Amino acid sequence: MARLNANNLTVAQDILSRYPVPRSALIPLLHLAQEQDGYVAEDAMAHIAELVGVTPAEVMGTCSFYEMLKREPVGDYMVNICNGISCHLLGSSELIHHAEATLGVRPGGTTDDGKITLEAVECIAACTEAPCLQINYRYRNQVTTEDFDQLVEDLRDGTAGVAPHGQLAKVRQHIGDDRRAGVSPPDGQGEPAWMARNPSDNGDGS
Amino acid sequence: MSEQETVVNITVNGQPVEAQPGEWVIAAAERAGVYIPHFCYHPRMNSVGMCRMCIVDIDTGRGPALQPSCMVAVTEGMVVDTTSDQTRKAQDGVLEFLLLNHPLDCPVCDKGGECPLQDQTMAYGPGESRFVEEKRHFEKPIPVNDLVYLDRERCILCDRCTRFADEVAGDPLITFQDRGDQTQVNTFPDLPFSSYFSGNTVQICPVGALTAVPYRFKARPWDLTEVESTYPNPMGDRVVVQASRDQVLRYQGVDSDAVNWGWLTDKDRFSFEAAASDLRLQTPLLRGTPLGRPDPGGSELVETTWRQALSQAADAIKGAIACNGPQSVAVLGGARLTNEDQYVWARLAKGVIGTDNVDAQLDDGLPADAVLGLPRATINRACTPGGTVILLAPDPKEEQGTLYLRLRHAVVNDGVQLIEITPRSTGLSHLAAHRLHHRPGEAAAVATALVGGDIDPGPDGDIGGAPAADVAAAATALADRADQPITVILGRPSLAESADFTLDAAAELARFANLLNAGGRPGIAFLPALHRGNVLGALDMGLAPGLLPGRTTLADGGSALAESWGSVPSAPGQDARGILKAAAEGRIDVLILLGADPLGDYPNAEQAEEALNRVGTIIASDLFLNPSAARAHIVFPAAGFAERRGTHTNLEGRITSQRQIITPPGTARADWAIATELARQLGADFGFGSPEDVWEEIARVAPSHRNLSSQAIEAADDGVVVADSSIEFAPPDAPTSAPHIDAYSLRLVSARRMYDRGTLVQHAGSLAGLAPTAVLSVNPYDFDRVGVEPGTDVQVISHVGEMDMPVVADPGVPRGTAAFGYNYPDLDVRDLVDPEAAVTDLRIQTR
Ligand code: SF4
Ligand code: FES
Ligand code: FES
């Protein structure tokens, strides 16, 4: 889809200002792009590259490392059913089969209405609650097939109380000007060498 | 410093080895003659420990343990065993792992026969694989750019190409993607690895994953013969030339410590295609009738014999001397030649014909005294850790690619501070400590202020267009490091302005150099950044007005040389500008073009045209029938690089040898032989039978080169730097000042791009398409003022011409300035530039 829109560009500037070196903002900006479009579009990667001063190939290198940064459109809700050992022993395979049958997609696929993307994942570290799953990375524990059907219904109705894919939190982090992190050099010393080196081009032709 | 701090004693395979502090074990072992197999380690890049092939037993007092020798620095008393059973087993295991996914397609792989993976598997690896599962599959080769293909199945993920792109070239356009079990090297979709240096990744890839389009499937390594040589560019990059069946098929960079560190630009690396072009001249040509009969008044060029071509040339020269004196003969060009070729042509022109109207440069460089008359730097001096480099030259990334790589390394890794005095940003700007981007024609003010001179800032608080505060900061930074070497890279930053501006700026720096160098400090030295092949050799060999071979002038060295040559011209002659002006006025009867193409290259195209029209006889010695050679009356086919032996001089004055590996096409001859033969026809017997004979004479008569034997040049790894010079820098008497610019105009900067309309690029099939099309670049803030939209086609008007072209926003161009390439294949900037004016101002309007 797209580059960051005007609103998100403002947010991006705010995020950038939290870091002494722009490229440190790369991953937060990838999240922002995913929040905007539900996935990280190529145009967005190119835009982020411009913002943090690296090449698009470097953004791709980082982005493609993270499974949770999607580079293709996905449904509004990622349903990740755990297929780790504990969950498997407690019936997650049946749950996955059930999901495949009721949603009509294989793991990795998205339902025709664009609502749900199904994934089978490795242990999500909630073994005591097996079998479990995540919707947009929010846990549902000890899920039965009935629970699952209800969940799908709620997701389609929009009553499940889960934010669409990409949104990390309900409240956006904001850091007041007076509390910006930034790195201040230790007393009596200049900037650390790694900051002073490679000053980025200020781009105004001066 | 105590002994312990400068030497670290280690033991490698039972032998004591003296290592340098901080040295990697693999490097120390290598110096001691013990080879440790490796894939990812490369001495010119940071270690990353990706492949684990280099693990050996290292004992630092706690018992032997397997450690990657490319990541472990030597420590006192370390014991290294590269042959232990444990090491062998580890190497065997690493290779088995590396081969899990590597296809066994060696019989159809270009690297087969010179593949480190193949070799090391033979030497250290398991005989067979226990892996029965399916290997990883990727689409077979994908282009990463127009010149390089990538086969991801063969890639062993050593990170060499990606590190090169990032660390060395500074173009990180290929990266590891999908890290995990699908890790692969790739570009961003639809954004190719468009780097001037991409061919180097092919050379350093330890497997056949990266292949170069011009070489793919052309030859097998065991069918190639090779010689080490020097690429004919001003850097004098060291190369290996590889050929098969009398055809050059590949150049590979050679790691010369002093020069190119093994790197080459793509333009140079793939230029061998041009040498093999069908359009190469094969036989001498003469004017003749369409029926192929020689006839001086004819309209065609027809094939002829050497005897006839030479005797006609000699007759024309004799006739000119008889009618109008030796001054009516002029020689242009010669930068393409070897030192020996240049010397013989110089002796022919100055000693036999008696004309001093000789110039190897086409008014697009700097006068010889600025090159030979200033203290000369070496590349290594410029790159001395902690030193300062002042860039008063065109963008090295576009013109001297490997110099750019060396400087980039020095700035990024060795704390060299870079101060730019340039009319626009360069490929190094983002690394520069101080960017003093001035208005065209105002470099001298910036230079003066930089070295502490008093310059009043203009009403806008700027000096020559650069903010006064920035200039002051740079001046302080320069003064702070004045006890470290300061090197000025001196060239012609823009061809749309008079060279005098650069000379004025150089004069300021030279004055400062005199002050500084007197104080017993390393002081300032200059590295001339000229553009053409062996132009530095041409100046050394006297192919410039007033100069004689060996960096001396007619006045100083004339009488000494006259003893061996018989005579030398009595008074200095004209430079290219004067020669072409005289020719246009009908005062030149014979014009000899040594690979020069004034129609294509000389800044004043109109005058070049008139000149060629009026000259009675044009004699060209060239590889191709370029536009000017096509107008010649007599054409000699010349031997090119790799087709003849000789020596080359680089911008440091470093002399290295060039060797022959193939025969010239048709009956083409080396220029020294052509000039010797022509001299014989004119009654002078030079007695040269080989380039060595010529060199022997150079070493006898050229003062700066005296007693420098061919053997000494051959024997030295990095050649020999000639430092002597008796030439004095003579800056212009009065500084030139740039006229005031009106509020609606933009002042033009025009410099070369790497891929251009030049003969070499256009005749190399793989390179020709890479030349960019013409655009005018303007600072984003200037669009409102001049009233046009970025990205649109506009009309550009100067007081001599106008043309239509697209205009783009480029923050690297200072406000008030417009940048346009000098050598685009489609639009010729010379239609806009008034070569007589000091600067060129443009107005832009919507079409
Ligand atoms: S393509 Fe070659 S150089 Fe690049 S990572 Fe793979 S094996 Fe190494
Ligand atoms: S196995 Fe499912 S959460 Fe661990
Ligand atoms: S060479 Fe040492 S790990 Fe690759």
Side-chain angles (χ1 to χ4, degrees):
Chain A
M1 241 193 292
R3 293 162 65 88
L4 296 180
N5 60 32
N7 263 342
N8 282 333
L9 190 56
T10 322
V11 178
Q13 302 295 4
D14 184 65
I15 294 175
L16 278 161
S17 70
R18 293 176 200 161
Y19 298 92
V21 173
R23 68 188 292 162
S24 307
L26 178 51
I27 290 176
L29 294 184
L30 287 168
H31 283 302
L32 183 65
Q34 175 146 288
E35 174 171 335
Q36 172 179 299
D37 297 332
Y39 73 107
V40 187
E42 274 170 24
D43 286 348
M45 283 190 238
H47 195 183
I48 292 171
E50 287 165 30
L51 291 172
V52 305
V54 301
T55 65
E58 289 174 293
V59 176
M60 177 64 95
T62 302
C63 181
S64 63
F65 176 69
Y66 295 99
E67 186 63 29
M68 285 158 74
L69 292 170
K70 300 294 174 191
R71 284 172 292 142
E72 298 291 338
V74 292
D76 293 342
Y77 304 105
M78 297 285 316
V79 174
N80 300 350
I81 304 180
C82 177
N83 205 17
I85 290 179
S86 306
C87 294
H88 179 74
L89 290 173
L90 290 171
S92 71
S93 292
E94 286 77 6
L95 187 58
I96 293 172
H97 286 311
H98 176 77
E100 287 177 345
T102 53
L103 296 176
V105 295
R106 309 274 272 153
T110 303
T111 55
D112 288 340
D113 60 0
K115 285 276 185 211
I116 295 173
T117 298
L118 179 65
E119 273 187 356
V121 298
E122 295 309 318
C123 179
I124 50 179
C127 303
T128 51
E129 309 299 330
C132 56
L133 57 76
Q134 293 174 322
I135 314 135
N136 290 348
Y137 311 111
R138 283 132 181 108
Y139 284 88
R140 291 287 190 281
N141 299 328
Q142 298 176 13
V143 185
T144 63
T145 49
E146 291 76 38
D147 295 344
F148 184 82
D149 292 340
Q150 183 60 49
L151 173 67
V152 169
E153 207 170 292
D154 293 348
L155 289 176
R156 291 201 156 125
D157 294 349
T159 53
V162 177
H165 181 246
Q167 187 171 320
L168 282 186
K170 293 199 179 102
V171 183
R172 191 175 297 289
Q173 182 184 21
H174 179 74
I175 299 178
D177 281 341
D178 53 335
R179 295 179 48 224
R180 285 275 140 102
V183 175
S184 37
D187 282 346
Q189 290 177 21
E191 284 181 334
W194 55 267
M195 279 182 67
R197 205 188 276 172
N198 301 356
S200 64
D201 198 334
N202 55 12
D204 62 357
S206 61
Chain B
M1 247 195 265
S2 73
E3 174 79 351
Q4 268 196 332
E5 282 170 309
T6 54
V7 171
V8 179
N9 296 295
I10 66 171
T11 311
V12 179
N13 295 349
Q15 300 298 316
V17 170
E18 290 191 347
Q20 290 151 10
E23 198 175 16
W24 301 125
V25 171
I26 192 170
E30 172 108 38
R31 277 196 307 111
V34 175
Y35 175 76
I36 299 179
H38 59 270
F39 296 112
C40 67
Y41 168 74
H42 189 285
R44 296 294 182 194
M45 299 192 287
N46 290 330
S47 283
V48 283
M50 288 293 278
C51 72
R52 316 315 278 185
M53 187 64 219
C54 67
I55 46 181
V56 292
D57 257 333
I58 298 179
D59 184 351
T60 46
R62 289 182 293 178
L66 290 172
Q67 300 187 55
S69 57
C70 73
M71 297 288 287
V72 175
V74 291
T75 53
E76 187 66 27
M78 176 184 269
V79 178
V80 179
D81 189 345
T82 71
T83 55
S84 68
D85 289 347
Q86 193 174 213
T87 304
R88 288 283 182 210
K89 190 156 175 242
Q91 289 169 335
D92 189 276
V94 167
L95 277 166
E96 191 176 7
F97 272 124
L98 284 174
L99 290 170
L100 288 187
N101 277 309
H102 190 82
L104 299 179
D105 60 354
C106 306
V108 295
C109 175
D110 257 334
K111 200 82 171 186
E114 57 175 6
C115 175
L117 183 59
Q118 205 177 38
D119 297 347
Q120 292 180 18
T121 305
M122 297 294 287
Y124 307 95
E128 53 196 62
S129 175
R130 289 171 284 166
F131 187 69
V132 291
E133 290 78 5
E134 186 67 16
K135 295 187 184 235
R136 273 190 338 163
H137 288 297
F138 287 112
E139 187 187 332
K140 271 295 186 182
I142 53 169
V144 292
N145 64 24
D146 291 334
L147 297 166
V148 177
Y149 276 22
L150 166 65
D151 180 336
R152 290 165 291 175
E153 292 185 344
R154 291 182 188 152
C155 171
I156 58 166
L157 303 174
C158 71
D159 198 16
R160 273 187 172 192
C161 57
T162 36
R163 253 181 304 157
F164 174 85
D166 182 20
E167 287 176 18
V168 181
D171 299 318
L173 296 167
I174 42 172
T175 53
F176 280 140
Q177 299 179 2
D178 295 324
R179 282 173 190 259
D181 63 349
Q182 292 294 307
T183 312
Q184 54 178 294
V185 173
N186 214 330
T187 63
F188 191 71
D190 301 322
L191 189 74
F193 178 33
S194 47
S195 169
Y196 288 159
F197 308 97
S198 67
N200 293 298
T201 63
V202 177
Q203 185 173 335
I204 60 178
C205 178
V207 295
L210 290 166
T211 46
V213 175
Y215 176 75
R216 278 170 69 80
F217 308 131
K218 288 276 163 55
R220 289 314 214 158
W222 53 85
D223 290 333
L224 295 172
T225 50
E226 61 177 41
V227 288
E228 200 172 314
S229 189
T230 306
Y231 189 85
N233 61 15
M235 278 290 282
D237 291 325
R238 298 291 289 157
V239 292
V240 162
V241 183
Q242 299 177 323
S244 170
R245 293 190 208 127
D246 213 24
Q247 218 188 34
V248 171
L249 290 176
R250 188 164 65 171
Y251 298 151
Q252 301 271 55
V254 169
D255 193 336
S256 157
D257 238 334
V259 187
N260 56 320
W261 285 13
W263 313 130
L264 292 177
T265 63
D266 289 358
K267 177 180 171 182
D268 295 345
R269 182 182 296 272
F270 300 123
S271 63
F272 69 86
E273 288 184 339
S277 154
D278 292 342
L279 297 170
R280 277 292 298 279
L281 288 167
Q282 314 235 354
T283 44
L285 305 173
L286 277 184
R287 283 284 139 199
T289 64
L291 289 177
R293 219 163 279 131
D295 169 6
S299 57
E300 313 276 301
L301 279 170
V302 302
E303 295 191 355
T304 184
T305 58
W306 274 99
R307 177 200 290 263
Q308 195 159 17
L310 285 163
S311 79
Q312 286 221 4
D315 289 347
I317 294 170
K318 278 185 221 156
I321 300 175
C323 294
N324 295 316
Q327 261 47 267
S328 63
V329 181
V331 180
L332 280 182
R336 176 177 59 69
L337 314 180
T338 62
N339 295 332
E340 288 80 355
D341 295 338
Q342 291 160 344
Y343 174 83
V344 185
W345 274 112
R347 181 166 172 193
L348 170 62
K350 301 197 173 183
V352 177
I353 299 171
T355 178
D356 195 51
N357 292 332
V358 175
D359 199 350
Q361 302 190 71
L362 290 180
D363 197 28
D364 56 355
L366 294 172
D369 60 276
V371 176
L372 302 177
L374 289 165
R376 199 77 165 270
T378 60
I379 301 164
N380 277 352
R381 178 192 202 271
C383 297
T384 313
T388 300
V389 168
I390 299 175
L391 187 70
L392 184 65
D395 189 348
K397 191 172 186 177
E398 302 286 345
E399 295 207 8
Q400 289 92 15
T402 46
L403 177 62
Y404 159 79
L405 296 183
R406 289 292 313 271
L407 290 174
R408 186 176 185 283
H409 181 95
V411 174
V412 172
N413 300 289
D414 295 332
V416 166
Q417 70 170 349
L418 176 67
I419 300 176
E420 283 192 336
I421 309 182
T422 53
R424 60 154 305 164
S425 67
T426 72
L428 286 166
S429 289
H430 64 291
L431 297 171
H434 300 278
R435 292 179 286 264
L436 310 178
H437 294 164
H438 57 82
R439 273 188 298 270
E442 301 186 33
V446 179
T448 310
L450 179 68
V451 297
D454 231 356
I455 297 279
D456 275 338
D460 300 332
D462 69 77
I463 294 177
D470 290 2
V471 182
T476 314
L478 181 68
D480 282 351
R481 294 226 207 150
D483 53 350
Q484 303 282 342
I486 300 168
T487 306
V488 181
I489 315 270
L490 180 63
R492 183 92 178 266
S494 165
L495 291 155
E497 66 180 49
S498 157
D500 289 348
F501 293 124
T502 308
L503 296 175
D504 291 340
E508 287 302 330
L509 299 175
R511 249 192 293 284
F512 185 55
N514 289 339
L515 284 178
L516 206 65
N517 296 6
R521 289 179 282 204
I524 303 190
F526 295 76
L527 201 54
L530 298 187
H531 176 68
R532 291 169 194 283
N534 188 19
V535 62
L536 283 312
L539 299 181
D540 281 3
M541 292 300 118
L543 287 180
L547 244 55
L548 289 173
R551 300 183 188 166
T552 183
T553 58
L554 284 176
D556 294 341
S559 49
L561 197 63
E563 284 176 23
S564 1
W565 279 12
S567 68
V568 294
S570 47
Q574 300 288 330
D575 61 4
R577 189 185 268 237
I579 291 171
L580 287 166
K581 185 157 177 283
E585 288 163 2
R587 288 185 282 119
I588 298 291
D589 295 331
V590 175
L591 179 63
I592 303 176
L593 300 175
L594 304 178
D597 175 16
L599 289 181
D601 288 339
Y602 180 64
N604 189 345
E606 214 172 303
Q607 193 172 60
E609 176 71 38
E610 270 167 56
L612 295 197
N613 278 339
R614 295 213 46 188
V615 169
T617 306
I618 302 169
I619 303 171
S621 167
D622 214 319
L623 308 179
F624 292 97
L625 214 50
N626 65 40
S628 306
R631 304 273 289 275
H633 302 86
I634 305 163
V635 180
F636 298 130
F641 178 60
E643 298 164 1
R644 37 99 163 113
R645 322 190 286 285
T647 57
H648 175 86
T649 307
N650 83 348
L651 42 78
E652 308 163 287
R654 180 184 303 279
I655 301 184
T656 45
S657 47
Q658 287 185 339
R659 299 199 178 86
Q660 180 177 1
I661 187 164
I662 58 169
T663 49
T667 63
R669 293 189 193 175
D671 270 272
W672 67 265
I674 301 175
T676 304
E677 201 49 48
L678 194 52
R680 199 193 320 274
Q681 305 260 349
L682 292 168
D685 183 5
F686 291 165
F688 297 139
S690 71
E692 289 73 25
D693 292 349
V694 181
W695 186 266
E696 191 263 331
E697 180 168 310
I698 295 172
R700 195 150 36 79
V701 305
S704 57
H705 293 52
R706 191 153 287 151
N707 299 330
L708 176 57
S709 68
S710 319
Q711 291 84 337
I713 297 170
E714 289 281 327
D717 271 351
D718 296 322
V720 177
V721 177
V722 171
D724 281 1
S725 173
S726 59
I727 309 270
E728 298 240 344
F729 174 46
D733 298 333
T736 315
S737 62
H740 190 70
I741 180 166
D742 72 54
Y744 308 102
S745 297
L746 298 174
R747 193 153 276 175
L748 179 64
V749 169
S750 186
R752 290 191 177 83
R753 305 293 305 269
M754 179 169 288
Y755 299 120
D756 57 8
R757 60 162 185 265
T759 326
L760 200 72
V761 170
Q762 292 305 320
H763 287 98
S766 305
L767 300 178
L770 299 177
T773 53
V775 287
L776 188 76
S777 307
V778 171
N779 188 281
Y781 291 99
D782 274 342
F783 282 89
D784 271 355
R785 183 163 69 86
V786 296
V788 296
E789 289 285 321
T792 57
D793 273 354
V794 293
Q795 188 175 32
V796 178
I797 307 163
S798 78
H799 79 274
V800 295
E802 57 178 69
M803 56 171 79
D804 293 342
M805 65 182 82
V807 61
V808 297
D810 182 348
V813 178
R815 297 178 72 163
T817 300
F820 189 75
Y822 184 69
N823 47 5
Y824 288 123
D826 48 349
L827 288 180
D828 193 340
V829 72
R830 295 181 300 169
D831 297 343
L832 290 175
V833 177
D834 174 0
E836 300 303 322
V839 290
T840 304
D841 291 341
L842 303 177
R843 274 188 300 120
I844 305 180
Q845 59 192 41
T846 325
R847 265 172 57 212

